[in-house]
Amino acid sequence: MSLDELNPPPPGHEQDGSDAGPPETSLDADDRLKPEFVSAVLERVEEGDSEGARALVEPLHPADIADLFELTPAEERRALAAAISDLLDADVFAEMNDWVREDLIDALDPHEVAEIAGELDTDDAVAIIEDMEEDDQRAVLRALAPDDRAAIEEALSYGEETAGRLMQRELIAVPEHWTVGDVLDYLRRNEDLTTDFWEIFVVDTGHKPIGACALSWILRTPRSIAISDVMKREQTLIPVDMDQEEVALRFQKYALISAAVVDGAGRLVGMITVDDVVHIIQEEAGEDILKLSGAGEGDINEPVLDSYKSRVRWLIANLGTALVAATIISLFEGTISKMVTLAALMPIVAGVGGNAGTQTMAVTVRALATNQLTQSNTWRTIRREIRVAMLNGVTVAAVIGVGVALVFSNHQLGAVIAAAMLANILIAGLAGVLIPLTLEKLDADPAVASSVFVTMMTDSMGFLVFLGLASASGLVR
Amino acid sequence: MSLDELNPPPPGHEQDGSDAGPPETSLDADDRLKPEFVSAVLERVEEGDSEGARALVEPLHPADIADLFELTPAEERRALAAAISDLLDADVFAEMNDWVREDLIDALDPHEVAEIAGELDTDDAVAIIEDMEEDDQRAVLRALAPDDRAAIEEALSYGEETAGRLMQRELIAVPEHWTVGDVLDYLRRNEDLTTDFWEIFVVDTGHKPIGACALSWILRTPRSIAISDVMKREQTLIPVDMDQEEVALRFQKYALISAAVVDGAGRLVGMITVDDVVHIIQEEAGEDILKLSGAGEGDINEPVLDSYKSRVRWLIANLGTALVAATIISLFEGTISKMVTLAALMPIVAGVGGNAGTQTMAVTVRALATNQLTQSNTWRTIRREIRVAMLNGVTVAAVIGVGVALVFSNHQLGAVIAAAMLANILIAGLAGVLIPLTLEKLDADPAVASSVFVTMMTDSMGFLVFLGLASASGLVR
């Protein structure tokens, strides 16, 4: 980030102050680019009127320019990039959807990519480079300035989705014997320090962090006070190899704005700020729904073939569990042929059971993901879900039992479906809580595999209990 | 927040600095309280050894003390609160799960609640008071100091889940003619200002915000420079009645640390900081999975009866859609009675179709929630989902068609199930994208109602197409 931000924007950018962000004409009430605006820009690009396109796009925030590219059809993105190339800067790339960015970056030569990466903080530069193919990655790294190159190479040496990839190396660290005045002078005199920080870190002679100091505390303290008297000694340190989901949970739990990242020896190697974590919190929390449904990354910008590959695998697995259910039904073909109504009623038992299982599973998966469900309250949670299942089961069983008994004038059929429904909702509740818990215990991601197993249980058991009771109760002779 | 934070912690709290947070004995590798620790505390409480319990709990971070209460069985929470009452301060309540907090607050008298609320920033105080019953709320408000009372009453006058509830009124606003030096002097001299800020706001004579200034810029600028030359003029202003989900999206999109909240006349009335928004981002993103499954609030601390009420409603709705499917099957009872194998195979078509619909629906709901799917790319997204459905449909149809033809030595049966599967996966893809889009257009929450409609489509159409084809193709005579 450059020092431009220390100065007021140039006159062309000036705004009336009572209004937020870009001009009203481009954004709707929900802060999304209006379709008319997007098509106006693309029309000008198509007509070769780059000037006109630039005039429209220039007032936008980088995040909105990134959105503009996402909303542009894939085949027109490169023409748009060419038309407004001087507005397509590093900040815009940092805000862009991964797939869209990859597509645009592919069209650039390594020197252009290196120029963009050189302008960004380490974390954003790494985000752009990490998904490139190895040859292209090497070419970009060669084209970078030596410092930037070393910083990015080091970041790439940490595992994907770890704190090491997420952190920026640009931070403010000061020795413990300094005063507040020393810190102020240091910050004012060194123009090339980052401006993107909210806390400073105090380190010992071995560069190990011993405290952190919010900028508001420094601002409110006289120059003569020692920084070690202002800093907070307890701070949350992030190991460089910590998984990003874990990092996000710490930020959330302890309401952090920034945190020091330390290597295996406890030395300060970087800093993570909350604005980088916000994306991860959103992604990780939103991901569970996509994982549970087997929709892979579930990004609407993902290439069709990639979506197909991740989704079809899941559908085939689902086909397997459906075959188990079909096999169970086929064992009762004799029973069904004597009373075909059973075939019409059996999906009700399986379907409502499946739904009850999904409810419990969703609650359990979220509680595990947010660290709310731990060993201390496992048994309590299981008992709780059984109670809810019991209440749900009795209610739904009563409704369906009475309904079927009346419609078919067959009390015994009503009793059989009510008993099967109650049993299946109880099975669903147990499966919905025990399956995710077991997967978590086995160090598997409960969001990924739970729903296949839960559906298999509720389908198979639903058919088995209903048809089995119908057959054993003497309803069908 | 008090000025205590400006001083180093008392000697008893001191830590070795290379270690983060509470002692190793209380937390596991995932930063959750160990079950042994929880039971050790509760044992001491039960034995009446409050001293011992306090000694264990004292080193914990407020967020961990809050977790301790959540992990304690409901019937033992009040005894724990009594034993460690002096550690149960405002910060702990601010971190606590809503249900657990409500339960504890119910046991306190209004004066005790007022004392806790008085220590908190407005947003946290409001979070504690807003869920109380009206009588209790009035009693607490009466017991508050007049300033605090006015601030909280004003906050409560804004709608639930709006920016007005979320904001704190404690903020730093300075006039535009001040210099950096004036700002520093003001901050150093006024001890009772908040310490919880990351930016200061510059206001005109009508108290309207005209710029914002990150603390790092102030720290890096000489005293003589005018604040209006350092501040950034473009800033995201949050209207006081904006929905909290919208607030969270703005923070995320523009990578904000804090933002000014303005009233209808554009006057600065409060500030929202990112640490308050992080919880909302997490909740809102995680909520969709609970909504889609019909699990209500889906909190494991919710009372059983509340969970029952929200879930059973959904199961009854699901029973309704299952009845539609059952009615369709009953139309084909004649066909099934001639070939009972159809009854065993039909749930496969419906089930895999349902899964394909859930995948598309999850992707669409997430894209809508994150503002990625707008009018500009609606048609593109629909076409994309049809292409994915086509590929999935052909693959799954081929597998099941060939499999059934071989197992039953019946080519025609294989052809019928393959055609039905292809058709149902296409229907599922269309329903999965069109139903959430339609609900969004109608200003309904796509996450809440989509899955009932999608399941109804894939179940009913699955049975209809499969049994209809079996009957019409002459497979069954």
Side-chain angles (χ1 to χ4, degrees):
Chain A
M1 200 167 282
S2 75
L3 280 186
D4 287 353
E5 293 197 16
L6 287 180
N7 301 314
H13 275 239
E14 224 152 23
Q15 289 208 337
D16 110 0
S18 73
D19 188 50
E24 257 178 73
T25 46
S26 57
L27 294 171
D28 69 12
D30 285 338
D31 202 39
R32 301 174 299 199
L33 290 172
K34 287 185 188 168
E36 306 89 79
F37 176 83
V38 175
S39 31
V41 173
L42 294 181
E43 260 167 45
R44 282 172 182 69
V45 171
E46 212 171 311
E47 289 162 4
D49 177 14
S50 300
E51 272 305 292
R54 287 187 59 258
L56 284 172
V57 176
E58 198 170 7
L60 296 183
H61 186 280
D64 288 308
I65 302 184
D67 282 354
L68 174 62
F69 277 94
E70 293 173 26
L71 293 176
T72 299
E75 57 279 11
E76 297 173 45
R77 276 180 202 142
R78 291 181 187 189
L80 174 63
I84 61 165
S85 59
D86 55 328
L87 300 175
L88 184 56
D89 61 9
D91 289 337
V92 175
F93 276 106
E95 296 285 343
M96 212 177 273
N97 175 281
D98 289 354
W99 296 106
V100 176
R101 179 171 60 210
E102 217 170 283
D103 178 46
L104 281 179
I105 292 280
D106 275 352
L108 298 176
D109 77 44
H111 282 275
E112 289 173 297
V113 180
E115 196 177 310
I116 291 165
E119 281 176 43
L120 292 168
D121 281 335
T122 344
D123 54 329
D124 291 327
V126 167
I128 288 184
I129 294 175
E130 65 183 352
D131 292 328
M132 299 181 81
E133 283 179 34
E134 224 168 293
D135 286 356
D136 296 337
Q137 208 179 75
R138 266 201 297 272
V140 172
L141 286 171
R142 267 197 304 273
L144 276 168
D147 306 7
D148 291 338
R149 180 179 173 170
I152 292 175
E153 279 182 333
E154 201 198 305
L156 289 174
S157 75
Y158 300 115
E160 271 184 61
E161 311 213 322
T162 62
R165 293 279 176 112
L166 211 57
M167 71 186 185
Q168 59 183 70
R169 303 172 59 83
E170 297 81 4
L171 55 81
I172 311 290
V174 302
E176 55 183 319
H177 60 80
W178 279 17
T179 64
V180 168
D182 293 333
V183 173
L184 288 175
D185 293 342
Y186 169 72
L187 290 175
R188 286 186 189 149
R189 277 180 207 144
N190 290 274
E191 290 223 339
D192 53 339
L193 293 174
T194 178
T195 53
D196 191 15
F197 63 101
W198 310 94
E199 285 181 303
I200 64 167
F201 301 104
V202 181
V203 290
D204 66 13
T205 49
H207 213 68
K208 293 187 183 163
I210 55 169
C213 196
L215 300 189
S216 64
W217 308 345
I218 298 177
L219 280 172
R220 304 198 45 189
T221 307
R223 288 183 63 97
S224 57
I225 306 287
I227 194 77
S228 58
D229 286 344
V230 189
M231 71 186 189
K232 202 169 101 184
R233 279 173 203 275
E234 290 108 343
Q235 62 172 316
T236 302
L237 299 178
I238 308 282
V240 73
D241 56 356
M242 182 182 265
D243 184 82
Q244 64 173 18
E245 185 167 6
E246 205 54 49
V247 174
L249 283 172
R250 301 281 160 108
F251 265 77
Q252 202 185 328
K253 179 171 175 186
Y254 298 119
L256 305 177
I257 297 293
S258 61
V261 180
V262 292
D263 65 13
R267 278 182 307 255
L268 179 65
V269 292
M271 167 177 78
I272 296 178
T273 53
V274 68
D275 52 314
D276 298 314
V277 173
V278 158
H279 288 269
I280 291 165
I281 292 174
Q282 203 269 343
E283 273 171 35
E284 298 277 350
E287 221 173 55
D288 283 349
I289 189 179
L290 300 167
K291 285 186 192 162
L292 268 184
S293 72
E297 296 197 24
D299 189 307
I300 58 169
N301 294 298
E302 189 182 36
V304 169
L305 274 180
D306 290 15
S307 297
Y308 161 65
K309 277 183 214 153
S310 55
R311 291 197 210 168
V312 81
R313 217 178 304 154
W314 193 261
L315 293 178
I316 298 286
N318 195 245
L319 195 56
T321 68
L323 286 175
V324 175
T327 308
I328 288 177
I329 297 171
S330 68
L331 298 176
F332 292 94
E333 283 190 2
T335 310
I336 294 173
S337 67
K338 288 183 203 139
M339 190 181 195
V340 187
T341 303
L342 296 179
L345 295 177
M346 66 186 187
I348 301 178
V349 178
V352 176
N355 214 289
T358 304
Q359 290 179 335
T360 309
M361 178 175 67
V363 172
T364 309
V365 165
R366 283 308 297 151
L368 285 170
T370 53
N371 273 352
Q372 277 198 289
L373 178 50
T374 76
Q375 222 180 306
S376 308
N377 55 355
T378 298
W379 280 110
R380 193 168 1 128
T381 304
I382 295 172
R383 282 199 306 272
R384 179 182 179 281
E385 289 302 324
I386 293 174
R387 271 188 221 126
V388 176
M390 189 67 90
L391 290 169
N392 282 336
V394 168
T395 310
V396 176
V399 172
I400 188 74
V402 170
V404 165
L406 291 178
V407 169
F408 295 93
S409 306
N410 185 336
H411 292 305
Q412 207 181 344
L413 182 58
V416 164
I417 198 169
M421 187 64 95
L422 174 60
N424 203 28
I425 289 180
L426 283 174
I427 291 166
L430 270 175
V433 64
L434 291 180
I435 289 172
L437 278 169
T438 309
L439 288 168
E440 169 94 354
K441 262 261 181 282
L442 299 174
D443 272 332
D445 184 343
V448 171
S450 289
S451 81
V452 170
F453 292 114
V454 171
T455 310
M456 186 163 74
M457 283 299 286
T458 54
D459 271 6
S460 307
M461 297 310 288
F463 294 129
L464 181 64
V465 175
F466 178 59
L467 296 173
L469 275 179
S471 159
S473 68
L475 174 67
V476 181
R477 289 164 209 272
Chain B
M1 202 167 279
S2 74
L3 279 185
D4 286 354
E5 293 197 15
L6 288 178
N7 301 315
H13 275 238
E14 225 153 23
Q15 290 208 334
D16 124 352
S18 72
D19 188 50
E24 255 177 77
T25 44
S26 57
L27 294 171
D28 70 11
D30 285 337
D31 201 38
R32 301 173 300 197
L33 290 171
K34 289 186 188 167
E36 306 89 78
F37 177 83
V38 176
S39 32
V41 173
L42 295 181
E43 260 167 44
R44 283 172 182 68
V45 171
E46 211 171 312
E47 290 163 2
D49 176 14
S50 301
E51 273 305 295
R54 286 189 57 258
L56 283 173
V57 176
E58 198 168 7
L60 296 184
H61 186 279
D64 287 309
I65 302 183
D67 282 354
L68 174 63
F69 277 94
E70 293 173 25
L71 293 177
T72 298
E75 58 280 11
E76 296 173 43
R77 276 181 203 141
R78 290 181 185 188
L80 173 63
I84 60 165
S85 59
D86 55 329
L87 300 174
L88 184 56
D89 61 11
D91 289 334
V92 175
F93 276 106
E95 295 286 342
M96 212 176 274
N97 175 282
D98 289 356
W99 295 108
V100 177
R101 179 170 61 210
E102 218 170 282
D103 177 46
L104 281 180
I105 292 279
D106 275 355
L108 297 177
D109 77 46
H111 281 276
E112 290 172 298
V113 180
E115 197 177 311
I116 291 165
E119 280 175 43
L120 292 168
D121 281 334
T122 346
D123 53 331
D124 290 327
V126 167
I128 289 184
I129 295 175
E130 64 183 353
D131 292 327
M132 299 181 80
E133 283 179 37
E134 224 168 293
D135 286 354
D136 297 336
Q137 209 178 72
R138 266 200 297 271
V140 172
L141 286 170
R142 268 197 305 272
L144 276 168
D147 306 8
D148 291 337
R149 179 181 173 168
I152 291 174
E153 279 183 331
E154 201 199 305
L156 288 173
S157 74
Y158 300 114
E160 270 185 60
E161 310 213 326
T162 62
R165 292 279 177 109
L166 210 57
M167 72 185 186
Q168 59 183 72
R169 303 171 59 82
E170 298 81 5
L171 56 81
I172 311 289
V174 301
E176 54 183 319
H177 61 79
W178 278 16
T179 63
V180 168
D182 293 335
V183 173
L184 288 175
D185 293 342
Y186 169 72
L187 291 175
R188 285 185 190 151
R189 274 178 210 147
N190 290 273
E191 290 222 340
D192 54 340
L193 292 174
T194 178
T195 53
D196 190 15
F197 64 102
W198 311 95
E199 283 180 304
I200 64 165
F201 301 104
V202 182
V203 290
D204 66 13
T205 48
H207 213 66
K208 292 184 185 167
I210 55 167
C213 196
L215 300 190
S216 64
W217 309 344
I218 299 177
L219 281 172
R220 304 198 44 190
T221 308
R223 288 182 65 96
S224 58
I225 305 287
I227 195 78
S228 59
D229 287 343
V230 189
M231 72 185 187
K232 200 167 101 186
R233 277 173 205 275
E234 290 107 341
Q235 61 172 317
T236 302
L237 299 178
I238 307 283
V240 74
D241 57 356
M242 183 182 265
D243 184 81
Q244 65 175 19
E245 184 167 7
E246 205 55 49
V247 174
L249 283 172
R250 301 282 159 107
F251 265 77
Q252 201 184 329
K253 178 171 174 184
Y254 299 118
L256 305 176
I257 297 294
S258 61
V261 180
V262 292
D263 65 12
R267 280 184 305 257
L268 180 64
V269 293
M271 168 177 78
I272 296 177
T273 53
V274 68
D275 51 312
D276 298 316
V277 173
V278 158
H279 287 270
I280 291 165
I281 293 174
Q282 204 269 346
E283 272 172 33
E284 297 277 349
E287 219 173 58
D288 283 350
I289 189 179
L290 300 167
K291 285 186 192 161
L292 268 184
S293 72
E297 296 196 25
D299 189 306
I300 57 168
N301 294 299
E302 190 182 36
V304 168
L305 274 181
D306 291 15
S307 297
Y308 161 65
K309 278 184 211 152
S310 54
R311 292 197 209 167
V312 80
R313 218 179 301 154
W314 193 261
L315 294 178
I316 297 287
N318 195 244
L319 193 56
T321 70
L323 286 174
V324 174
T327 308
I328 289 178
I329 297 171
S330 70
L331 299 176
F332 293 94
E333 284 190 1
T335 311
I336 294 172
S337 68
K338 288 185 203 138
M339 190 179 191
V340 186
T341 303
L342 296 179
L345 294 177
M346 65 186 189
I348 301 177
V349 179
V352 177
N355 214 288
T358 305
Q359 290 179 334
T360 310
M361 179 175 68
V363 172
T364 309
V365 165
R366 283 309 297 153
L368 285 170
T370 53
N371 273 351
Q372 277 198 290
L373 178 51
T374 76
Q375 222 180 306
S376 306
N377 56 355
T378 298
W379 281 110
R380 196 167 359 127
T381 304
I382 295 172
R383 283 199 306 273
R384 180 182 179 280
E385 287 303 325
I386 294 175
R387 271 188 222 126
V388 177
M390 188 67 88
L391 290 169
N392 282 336
V394 169
T395 310
V396 176
V399 172
I400 188 73
V402 171
V404 165
L406 291 178
V407 169
F408 294 93
S409 308
N410 184 338
H411 292 305
Q412 208 181 343
L413 183 59
V416 164
I417 198 168
M421 186 64 93
L422 174 60
N424 204 28
I425 289 179
L426 283 174
I427 291 166
L430 271 175
V433 64
L434 291 180
I435 289 172
L437 278 169
T438 308
L439 289 167
E440 168 94 355
K441 262 259 182 284
L442 300 173
D443 274 331
D445 184 342
V448 171
S450 289
S451 81
V452 169
F453 292 113
V454 171
T455 310
M456 185 163 74
M457 283 298 287
T458 54
D459 271 6
S460 307
M461 297 310 288
F463 294 130
L464 181 64
V465 175
F466 178 60
L467 296 174
L469 276 178
S471 159
S473 68
L475 173 67
V476 181
R477 288 165 209 272

